[in-house]
Structure formats: C-alpha cells, structure tokens
Amino acid sequence: MDDDGTRGVRGPSAERVPGPALPPPPTTPPRVPPPAAGPRSAAPSVEQRPTRPGTAPPVEQPLPGAPVDAWLRTPRPPQEPGVWRYGYTPPPPEEPEGVSNRSLLVGALISLLSALLLWSLWRNGYLPYRLVPLKLFTPGEWWNPGTSGGPRTIEGSDALTVYEAILFGLLAYGCGRIGNFSELFRRHVADRGQPFLALAAAAAAGLTQLLVWKEALPVVRPVLVLVASVAGGEIYQSQTVVNVIYAVIAAAVLYPFARLGRWRELIAARRGTGAPAPDGTAAAPAAETSADQWPELRAAGWTDAADTLTAEARTGRMNDVDAARLRHAWTLATQRPDRLAPLAESVLRTGGAAALHPSGHRDLPRRGARHDVLTGQVRIGRCADDPHNPYVRRGTGLALEPALLGTSLLAVGPPGAGKTTRLIRPVVEALALRALAGQAAVLAVGGAGAPLGPDDAFDVVVRVGHPGSAHDIDLYGGTTDPDEAAAVLAEGLVGDVGSLDSRRAATVLAQLLGPYRAAHGHFPSVPELRELLDGTPVALAGLRASLEAAGHHAMLRELDARSRQAGGPGDPAPALADRVALLDRPAFAGFFATGPDARPFSLRALGQHPLRVRVDLPERGHAEASRLLTRLLLAQFTAITAARTDTTLFACLVLDDATHAVTAETVRGIRRLRSVNAGAVLALRTVDDVPETLHTPLLGAVGCTAAFSGITTWDGKRFAEAWGKEWVETREVAQHTVFADQPFTRALHALRKLVTGKAVTTDAVTVRQVERERWSASELAYAVPTGHAVLSLTTVQGEHAPPLLVHLDG
C-alpha cells in the first residue's frame, strides 16, 4: 500500500504525488481485551445441542433406590406413534444432498487461486480500464489524463485507496460464495463442536490480524483515510486517538471470528459447569410447578400429601412404579370425590406405599428392558439409519405402549429370530409394571420354560399338567350361561376345522352343558363331557334320571334333541369328542376339574382386577393339546373382554406361539378389542400357521405388524400387500450414441473410442413419480439384517407410522 501515489502511473512524465500525512502502522497488533462474557444465553451450546440420530446417549430408567425426582421432571413430548418419548430430542433438520468433500475442497482451492491471481493482476496494473469506474464518480482534476492515468492529487490517492479496499472486499465475498467456503467451514470445523471450533476460529483470527497489520490485506490504510477525510488529518496528532483507532480496527477484525467460534457461548458454558447455581436461586420457581412437586395434588388443596410425596421422591423411598400408581390412583379418585380423603390420608400415613397393588409388590424382581412406567412405554429397539426409514425416525428409539397394543400386534419370524426375547418378554414386562400401577391386566401364554419372566413377577401362574400347579384352567371361562360357555368351548375345540360349522358344534355342546348344569349345579368335567359327546348310554341315562327327578322338563327336551341328532350326517359330536379326548389324558387327570372342590382360574377376573397371569403349556409332550388350549384362551379372552362393562383397565393377551390358534371368530373378536380398551399380541413362525382364508382378514384386523429377519418371500408378499405403496421419485438415465457430421469431429470421436474403448454417448435423464411398495417381498426376505425387524404401527386413535426397520435391543 505504501506506493506514494505512483502505482498505476506509467512513463517518466508521471507526476509524483506525496501521500497523506498518516501515522505509521504499528509494528505489532495492539492488544485488545477479550470480549466480556455476558449473561448465560438461553440457547444451548454446541455440546448441549441435539446430536445427530444414532449418536444420542442412551436414556436409562431410574435405578432401584435412586431418587426419581429427576426422572419425573424429564420431558416426554408428544410424538409420532412408536417414538421413545422419555428425554426425546428432535434430530437436526435434514440436509440436502450436497457435493462431496473432494469436490468441495477442489472448488474452494480453485476459487482461492483464481481470486489471488485476479488480485495480483490488479495490483500490478495488468487489468485495463481498472480505474474507469472510479473516475466516473470523482472529479477529473484528481487524475492524470488517459484511461490508465493515476492520481494527480492527494484526494485522488485517497479515493484510490478506498476504491481498492472496496474491490478487495467484493473479491473476497465473491470468492467465498463461489468456493462455498461456508459449507466447507460447517462440515470440517463447525460440526466438530467445541473446543475445536473456538481454537480454529482463534487461529484464523491470529493469522488475519497478522496480515492486516502487515498491510497484506487493505484494511488499516483505508480506515485511516476515511477517518482523516471525516475528522480531518489533524486528529492523528494525538497518539491516544491513534491507539484508540488501532484498537477499534483490531476489535472489528476479531469480532467476526468470535461470532464464528462462539466464544461467548463457550465461556458461558464453562462458567456454568464450573460454578453451579446455589440452591434456591433461579431454578427454584421452575421446580414449584415441575412434575416431582405433584402439582395436581397442590391444585386440589392437598399440600401436605404433595409435600410427603415430594420428600419420598427426593429421598429415594419411591420408585417409578409408585409414581405411576399414585398418579393413576389420584386420577381415579378425582372421578369419585369420596375417595380423595382416604387416598390423601393413606399417602400421609404410608407415603409412596399408598394404594398398593393387591399383591403388595411395588416393582418386578428384575427388568430386562428399558421402561417408562409413567407413559407405559417399553423401548424395544432403535430405528436403523436406512433409506426405507423417514429421516426424522432414523436413530430414534422405538417403543410400544397400550395405545399401540390396543390395536393388537402380529409378529412373524422363524425360530431364533428373537420374537420372544426381544419383543414378547419386554411387552409382558411393561404390562406387568402397568398392572402393578393399577392400569392393566396381562395374560401371558407360552410353552413350559418360555422366558416370559420369573414366577414371582406374576400373581397367578398356571402350569397345565404340572402336579404342583396351584391353579387350573376353567374350560368354560367362568360363565354360568350354557350357551355362552358352549360357544366359546366350541371355538376352542373345533374352530380350526374348516369342514365343521362352529355354530353347530356350539349347539351340540349347549344341548349337553345346559342339562348337566341344571342337574348338578356345575358344568361337566373333561371325562364326563367326553362320555356325553360319545353318547355313552350310561352317562345319558344317568343325566336323564337326574333331570326327571328335579323336574327340568325344558332341559329334557334339549337332551332328547341331542339324542335324535346323534349319529346323523354331519354330526359334530364325534369331532368334539376326539378333541376333548386330547385333554382326557393321564397327565391332565384332575386338572380341568369342576364342582365345589375345583380350583380353576377364570379369565373373567382379568376384566376386574389388575392381575399378572402366566400360563405354561406342555408343548413338548402334548403339542396338540397345547394348541387347543391356546385357541380356547384366545376365544375366551375376546369374548370376555368384549362383554365387560368397565373398560378402565387395559387388558392384553400375549401368545408366545399362536400356531393354529387363530380362527374366523377370533379374528372378528380381535377387531372388537380396540373399542373395549384391550389388545392381543400374537407371535407366529410363519403366516401359513393360520388358515389361508384368514391371511388377509388377520392382517387387516391387527393394527401393528412386525416382520422379523429370516421370513420367506411368501410371508413377505403378504406384508408388502398389507403395508401398501407410496409415491417415489425415480431417475432413469439413458445413454445415446453421438453421431458426428463433420469430418474433424468424427476423427476426434474415433480417436476417443480407440483410446477408451467406448463410443461417445450422451446421457438422457428422465425423472418420474412412480408408485412402489414400501417394502417388497424380496427386501423383507433378504434385506432385513439379523437382529432387526420391520414394524408398522397404528394407534387406537388411528395414527399411523410407516413400516420402520428397527434394530431390536429389547
């Protein structure tokens, strides 16, 4: 910059113009105090900002004995179906597909080199007409004649200095935009977070300060010229003023780098972590309305009870199940005002142990999955970073809850795919925890030894065929109506036989169950029912004699009708007797007993009490009997839950193996479950375990479906049809050979083909919107990795989530 005004003036006749009387530049940049740390910003720092999907640290449930106040205060924002809401942070906005890092670096380098070349040509006067724009807006007496004439006066030299600074700024701006330096900075500097961002900005600031004070960058001299033109050159006679101007220049150069490096946020974050706010400061007002302060109790005037629960939560004497149970109890009590005072007194007397579950348990003996008892969610996996998944769902946790299980769930996968350990058991655990909170009842059915949970995690454990079982199964579902008992029992016995009409089978059973109950006061046991179905003369004669002695003439007509229809074509009695014979085995002797000495467990209790029930079936030795009982339990569950009047409890049936358990009537019953606050979870090895005529109705009846890795293409085809199609954008590239007309062009094409071995072609790109399956049958069969599953979810309110590829970690 120190050219004495002669730069750009050619020839010996150029008049030498002395420069303005400006202070000499300092040898070192002036020291500028660092920017003061202002008040803590409400915006999170780089470390506090949400990370990309898949990189967020796992959010754990409260440990046993640990305070649950922080757990209660954790936000649970409403999200799409299946999103793990506990501590959820949304992912950053999706970034459009940009250029590769290599192209970005090459473009930035080329832009920088081009800018340096252009500036060098300008500085050395090789660009013609470079002073013409300046001369158009300044007086002519400031310049020597000619388009290349330099400044003649001090005013012209000052104008040239400012002009060059403006051109340099425009050149730097254009270079940054063309070279996409902002994207380069974001990818390789800003995305690395602190403290790398602050250190990189500090290094760049130091280099820029050095170039500015060495006058490699036109900053200092143009500022001094502008100040002299406004305030007069006499202002530089004061060294104090000169130092102030130099400090302002240094601070102005430093300020953009401080903004880029977020120095203020870093300093505020470091001060915030090093000096925590004392108790009772600004955090206190927020705590008064937080969840751990039980604001609903305080709003109702029960301050003492709220203070008791707050102390229980902070001291670790309350767990997450207690918190969920007491909140539910308070909700129910507000509907019955006469219960508010007893509940408050119980809280003051027993604290977190108030409103206990009838079993007296406050938690499960152990947990194998991550639960949020407050919302009823259980985390079963994480959405994979896969193009099939929407961007906002990639890397987020996937959870199941009653709002989803209320539409029922069908899981299909081969043995070893993880249906039991990664899906069924977490769901059973979540429902058991919800039962302890007084909000659900669960019936888990599986083979003996299935990992559905330990015995002490259930209130009732039924071991079919085991002599040490404390409970039996009630074949008649706890009803006293012979017609109702006959309909459910017929569905369980012969519902899978397509050649038999279950309504006729129910009529046959009703013709026997009604007279027997009228004569003996209870339904027949398995051996007695088998004799009646076989038409044993002794059994029928004894029943007739009992009815005649008691005067039940209407029931005698029922028995006579059964006698007339016995042995006729299409009589379902022999098939019913054969199925009952599966239960009339020595291993089950005395197990399905009836009468006053019986000890059956009735499923009707599930609709009235928050019970945790597990049924172990003897699948190894009696596979057909186990399937019959599974089918019977499913039929009883759908019938009992549909008939209950109090639907406050969420009732759920979990079948670890639903092979040959689904019938046409139970499919219709599954459809009705969502309207009565109930659901069913069915696990199958293949869809072919269900009759072919029920494939489409079953997939249409359930709202949630899961296809595990390893399914066949036939099963995948059924899921693909059930999940439907979506519109996608496709790009088709067609290559067309270029035929040249000119001899020289043809010679170039021939030379290129000789060198590359390929003809010269052009690409024709066609972009279309087409409708494709969300997941094809081949993708479901071969593209789902081990330990993964594709889940489609629907809530009771009708909200849908597309099929998501999930890595199961339940």
Side-chain angles (χ1 to χ4, degrees):
M1 290 295 298
D2 192 10
D3 57 358
D4 291 332
T6 60
R7 190 177 64 249
V9 182
R10 298 183 183 181
S13 61
E15 181 181 0
R16 188 170 186 207
V17 181
L22 300 179
T27 56
T28 58
R31 299 183 61 182
V32 180
R40 186 175 301 178
S41 175
S45 63
V46 174
E47 293 87 357
Q48 297 169 334
R49 291 186 178 182
T51 55
R52 293 182 177 275
T55 62
V59 182
E60 299 293 345
Q61 58 203 12
L63 297 176
V68 298
D69 52 344
W71 177 80
L72 283 171
R73 291 194 302 268
T74 302
R76 296 165 175 85
Q79 293 297 323
E80 298 179 1
V83 175
W84 175 249
R85 294 165 50 192
Y86 179 72
Y88 174 80
T89 54
E94 184 177 7
E95 300 175 358
E97 295 184 2
V99 296
S100 62
N101 290 332
R102 180 179 179 180
S103 301
L104 193 64
L105 290 172
V106 171
L109 181 61
I110 292 176
S111 175
L112 180 61
L113 294 178
S114 301
L116 291 176
L117 176 62
L118 187 61
W119 182 246
S120 177
L121 294 176
W122 170 272
R123 291 287 299 269
N124 292 281
Y126 290 108
L127 295 180
Y129 310 107
R130 62 191 185 94
L131 299 180
V132 171
L134 180 59
K135 293 182 178 180
L136 292 176
F137 296 96
T138 53
E141 60 269 13
W142 289 5
W143 309 96
N144 292 319
T147 57
S148 301
R152 175 184 298 176
T153 63
I154 295 177
E155 292 80 359
S157 179
D158 293 343
L160 179 60
T161 300
V162 177
Y163 177 60
E164 286 183 345
I166 295 174
L167 291 180
F168 180 82
L170 295 176
L171 181 62
Y173 176 78
C175 173
R177 291 298 301 271
I178 295 175
N180 205 358
F181 279 86
S182 60
E183 177 68 15
L184 187 66
F185 174 80
R186 187 193 62 79
R187 286 191 189 182
H188 299 283
V189 180
D191 285 353
R192 294 191 180 187
Q194 299 285 21
F196 181 83
L197 176 61
L199 293 176
L207 178 61
T208 305
Q209 291 277 13
L210 180 63
L211 296 177
V212 166
W213 297 109
K214 292 296 184 181
E215 295 199 16
L217 300 180
V219 176
V220 177
R221 188 176 181 85
V223 171
L224 296 176
V225 168
L226 290 176
V227 172
S229 62
V230 173
E234 298 81 2
I235 193 174
Y236 295 125
Q237 295 178 2
S238 174
Q239 185 63 35
T240 302
V241 174
V242 172
N243 293 336
V244 170
I245 295 175
Y246 285 156
V248 170
I249 294 174
V253 173
L254 193 64
Y255 178 76
F257 296 97
R259 290 291 302 272
L260 288 176
R262 302 190 183 102
W263 295 351
R264 182 177 180 180
E265 297 176 6
L266 179 61
I267 295 173
R270 293 298 174 88
R271 289 184 177 180
T273 56
D279 296 338
T281 55
E288 292 180 0
T289 58
S290 61
D292 66 321
Q293 295 287 324
W294 302 86
E296 60 274 11
L297 273 71
R298 298 182 186 276
W302 300 96
T303 307
D304 294 341
D307 292 338
T308 301
L309 294 179
T310 300
E312 293 272 309
R314 291 184 176 180
T315 56
R317 294 194 299 268
M318 175 190 294
N319 60 18
D320 54 347
V321 179
D322 295 333
R325 185 186 68 252
L326 291 172
R327 287 183 181 277
H328 178 67
W330 178 262
T331 302
L332 295 180
T334 53
Q335 301 172 3
R336 299 276 302 272
D338 56 316
R339 296 182 179 180
L340 289 176
L343 177 60
E345 293 176 1
S346 178
V347 168
L348 292 174
R349 185 175 60 257
T350 60
L356 267 183
H357 186 263
S359 65
H361 297 164
R362 300 173 62 178
D363 200 352
L364 297 180
R366 58 181 176 272
R367 304 184 188 182
R370 292 162 57 184
H371 302 272
D372 184 18
V373 188
L374 208 59
T375 59
Q377 287 191 319
V378 53
R379 190 181 188 278
I380 65 170
R382 174 180 51 82
C383 295
D385 189 4
D386 187 85
H388 286 92
N389 293 341
Y391 172 79
V392 295
R393 300 301 297 269
R394 297 174 189 174
T396 61
L398 189 132
L400 296 177
E401 57 184 310
L404 297 171
L405 299 178
T407 63
S408 298
L409 185 146
L410 176 66
V412 179
K419 300 188 300 297
T420 301
T421 58
R422 300 184 178 184
L423 179 64
I424 299 299
R425 175 160 181 171
V427 169
V428 173
E429 272 189 11
L431 293 172
L433 289 171
R434 203 154 181 83
L436 291 178
Q439 304 177 49
V442 57
L443 172 62
V445 182
L452 299 180
D455 293 350
D456 49 359
F458 296 91
D459 303 314
V460 176
V461 177
V462 181
R463 296 184 176 89
V464 180
H466 194 282
S469 179
H471 298 275
D472 298 342
I473 289 182
D474 188 353
L475 296 180
Y476 306 101
T479 182
T480 58
D481 185 1
D483 294 329
E484 182 181 351
V488 176
L489 185 58
E491 194 65 32
L493 292 175
V494 295
D496 61 328
V497 181
S499 59
L500 286 179
D501 187 357
S502 59
R503 290 175 296 180
R504 291 193 60 188
T507 302
V508 171
L509 288 172
Q511 291 172 346
L512 296 174
L513 296 181
Y516 190 93
R517 178 171 178 79
H520 299 89
H522 58 81
F523 291 119
S525 62
V526 169
E528 293 170 335
L529 180 61
R530 180 183 181 185
E531 291 179 354
L532 293 174
L533 289 172
D534 284 333
T536 305
V538 177
L540 292 176
L543 179 58
R544 184 181 298 276
S546 299
L547 292 174
E548 290 175 350
H552 294 291
H553 301 289
M555 292 303 170
L556 282 173
R557 289 194 298 271
E558 286 287 304
L559 193 60
D560 291 338
R562 171 85 289 267
S563 300
R564 290 192 302 268
Q565 297 171 5
D571 182 18
L576 290 170
D578 292 341
R579 289 299 177 88
V580 173
L582 295 174
L583 304 179
D584 189 17
R585 305 298 301 164
F588 307 135
F591 198 83
F592 304 103
T594 57
D597 298 332
R599 50 180 184 179
F601 169 75
S602 174
L603 265 65
R604 199 167 297 273
L606 289 175
Q608 304 170 0
H609 308 286
L611 293 176
R612 302 166 294 163
V613 184
R614 193 190 74 202
V615 178
D616 295 341
L617 301 175
E619 289 185 346
R620 294 183 179 179
H622 305 274
E624 195 62 32
S626 299
R627 294 174 181 174
L628 187 152
L629 292 174
T630 303
R631 189 164 53 250
L632 178 62
L633 291 174
L634 178 58
Q636 288 184 358
F637 181 81
T638 55
I640 291 172
T641 53
R644 63 177 181 162
T645 56
D646 186 6
T647 60
T648 55
L649 279 178
F650 175 72
C652 187
L653 170 66
V654 181
L655 297 181
D656 185 45
D657 185 5
T659 303
H660 301 296
V662 179
T663 64
E665 185 61 31
T666 53
V667 169
R668 287 189 285 270
I670 289 174
R671 288 197 185 99
R672 296 192 296 265
L673 291 179
R674 70 172 66 186
S675 62
V676 293
N677 195 23
V681 179
L682 312 177
L684 295 171
R685 294 182 178 90
T686 174
V687 182
D688 290 331
D689 289 339
V690 177
E692 186 176 358
T693 56
L694 297 179
H695 290 173
T696 300
L698 177 60
L699 289 172
V702 297
C704 303
T705 50
F708 283 72
S709 61
I711 64 173
T712 63
T713 53
W714 291 273
D715 289 343
K717 179 181 179 182
R718 297 180 181 97
F719 280 107
E721 293 175 352
W723 292 337
K725 301 179 180 181
E726 62 179 348
W727 289 98
V728 296
E729 183 180 279
T730 61
R731 297 171 59 90
E732 297 180 356
V733 181
Q735 293 185 342
H736 302 284
T737 304
V738 177
F739 297 97
D741 297 331
Q742 301 298 325
F744 180 72
T745 308
R746 286 200 299 269
L748 291 178
H749 288 184
L751 179 61
R752 179 176 175 180
K753 184 177 181 180
L754 179 65
V755 174
T756 61
K758 298 180 180 179
V760 179
T761 59
T762 58
D763 294 340
V765 180
T766 303
V767 180
R768 295 188 302 173
Q769 292 284 339
V770 298
E771 195 176 19
R772 286 186 179 177
E773 293 175 332
R774 300 178 184 271
W775 280 84
S776 66
S778 298
E779 289 175 331
L780 289 173
Y782 302 109
V784 179
T786 304
H788 290 66
V790 181
L791 277 79
S792 175
L793 305 175
T794 305
T795 65
V796 178
Q797 292 78 18
E799 297 181 61
H800 295 271
L804 302 170
L805 179 63
V806 181
H807 177 257
L808 301 172
D809 55 10

